[in-house]
């Protein structure tokens, strides 16, 4: 009899502990951080980063890059930013029926490109992204952090996981186009009006931005969706100015 009482007591204790743990998790779900708190922490993390990588892609109407006599269409890009004013990128583009990779370096207000078709495999001083400077990414006026802090009607949509199993908070709001344009490394055409923006912020202690999605209106009334993934924060990455003949 005593053994039965002890057994039931043990089982009851286990049930209470499990329910307590479940209630604790539900409590967390019921009281998530405030959207502005998350955006402030994410902005601070970005502004203090020594470097980070951006993966840029889009869906919808094509993006044409001014390359003189050639029609160059943007496909996607991987870029490294090194604070305060350097960017290296490998950009996939379409030139006619050909898919090409263009290497781009931007330092301060200078831009350089290298491609076997466009430049014969040599570095040339050419403007790849009009009006863009690497320092824009962390500037008070055009920086990503500034864009996050200026988000209007910010709301927390919930907790999710994105590619690679990254646990994130998913937020949505609107941001002025001029403030958020730098996140596409100057490729987004819109520089006026409100852009519907979704932000995915890591749920770990870093509160770093994992992804930003921009819904850019176009002249054809189609929406161009830009998706920018962020990772490799504070990784060592050297960007040197190329030698130009």
């Amino acid at each position: 009899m005593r053994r039965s009482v002890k057994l039931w007591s043990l089982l009851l204790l286990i049930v209470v502990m499990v329910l307590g743990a479940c209630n604790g998790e539900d409590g967390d779900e019921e009281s998530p951080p405030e959207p502005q708190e998350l955006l402030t922490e994410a902005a601070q993390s970005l502004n203090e980063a020594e470097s980070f990588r951006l993966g840029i892609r889009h869906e919808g109407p094509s993006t044409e890059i001014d390359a003189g006599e050639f029609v160059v269409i943007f496909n996607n890009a991987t870029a490294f930013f090194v604070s305060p004013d350097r960017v290296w990128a490998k950009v996939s583009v379409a030139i006619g029926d050909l898919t090409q990779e263009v290497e781009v370096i931007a330092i301060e207000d200078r831009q350089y490109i290298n491609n076997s078709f466009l430049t014969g495999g040599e570095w040339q001083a050419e403007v790849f992204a009009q009006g863009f400077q690497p320092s824009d990414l962390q500037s008070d006026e055009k920086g990503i952090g500034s864009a996050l802090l200026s988000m209007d009607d910010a709301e927390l949509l919930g907790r999710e996981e994105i590619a690679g199993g990254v646990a994130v908070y998913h937020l949505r709001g609107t941001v002025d186009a001029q403030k958020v344009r730098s996140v596409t490394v100057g490729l987004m055409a819109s520089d006026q009006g409100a852009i519907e923006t979704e932000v995915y912020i890591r749920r770990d202690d870093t509160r770093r931005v994992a992804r930003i999605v921009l819904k850019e209106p176009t002249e054809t009334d189609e929406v161009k969706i830009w998706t920018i993934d962020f990772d490799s924060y504070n990784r060592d990455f050297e960007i040197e100015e190329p030698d130009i003949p």
Side-chain angles (χ1 to χ4, degrees):
M1 185 69 175
R2 290 181 179 177
R3 288 183 179 178
S4 297
V5 171
K6 289 182 178 180
L7 179 60
W8 281 109
S9 298
L10 180 59
L11 291 173
L12 181 60
L13 178 61
I14 292 172
V15 170
V16 170
M17 291 174 65
V18 169
L19 289 176
C22 291
N23 288 336
E25 291 175 1
D26 290 341
D28 289 342
E29 292 291 345
E30 292 172 0
S31 56
E34 290 294 323
Q36 202 57 49
E37 176 188 344
L38 287 170
L39 293 169
T40 298
E41 291 185 72
Q44 181 178 354
S45 178
L46 267 170
N47 289 336
E48 293 176 352
E50 295 179 2
S51 64
F52 50 79
R53 181 171 63 179
L54 305 92
I56 306 170
R57 63 187 188 277
H58 70 43
E59 305 170 38
S62 61
T63 297
E64 186 174 323
I65 300 169
D66 185 8
E69 59 183 303
F70 300 104
V71 176
V72 178
I73 303 298
F74 172 81
N75 292 327
N76 56 68
T78 297
F80 270 98
F81 165 73
V82 176
S83 183
D85 54 14
R86 296 183 178 226
V87 163
W88 170 92
K90 183 172 286 187
V91 186
S92 172
V93 300
I95 305 173
D97 295 329
L98 299 176
T99 297
Q100 296 274 311
E101 283 191 342
V102 180
E103 196 172 357
V104 180
I105 289 177
I107 298 177
E108 297 178 350
D109 61 350
R110 304 179 297 281
Q111 296 183 22
Y112 309 90
I113 68 171
N114 189 346
N115 168 261
S116 57
F117 182 75
L118 295 173
T119 68
E122 301 289 339
W123 283 103
Q124 288 188 9
E126 293 284 350
V127 175
F128 185 84
Q130 190 70 41
F132 169 77
Q133 293 190 29
S135 59
D136 291 345
L137 292 170
Q138 288 182 330
S139 75
D140 293 336
E141 295 181 357
K142 301 179 181 179
I144 304 170
S146 175
L148 296 179
L149 292 174
S150 70
M151 180 179 282
D152 292 323
D153 303 321
E155 59 176 328
L156 178 60
L157 300 182
R159 305 180 186 209
E160 302 177 14
E161 286 191 359
I162 58 176
V166 179
V168 296
Y169 292 107
H170 182 188
L171 298 93
R172 180 175 61 194
T174 59
V175 180
D176 182 84
Q178 185 63 41
K179 285 185 172 291
V180 82
R181 187 170 180 265
S182 70
V183 75
T184 65
V185 195
L187 294 173
M188 189 176 81
S190 299
D191 59 5
Q192 294 182 350
I195 302 294
E196 185 177 331
T197 304
E198 297 184 30
V199 183
Y200 298 78
I201 299 173
R202 291 177 181 268
R203 295 208 314 256
D204 58 22
D205 293 339
T206 66
R207 291 289 197 264
R208 288 172 176 161
V209 175
R211 174 177 292 171
I212 293 177
V213 177
L214 309 174
K215 298 182 179 180
E216 178 190 10
T218 65
E219 294 179 354
T220 61
D221 293 331
E222 290 185 78
V223 176
K224 185 182 298 186
I225 301 176
W226 294 88
T227 301
I228 304 95
D229 290 315
F230 295 76
D231 58 29
S232 301
Y233 283 86
N234 298 322
R235 173 180 165 183
D236 289 336
F237 193 85
E238 297 292 332
I239 301 176
E240 300 296 336
E241 197 147 4
D243 292 328
I244 302 297

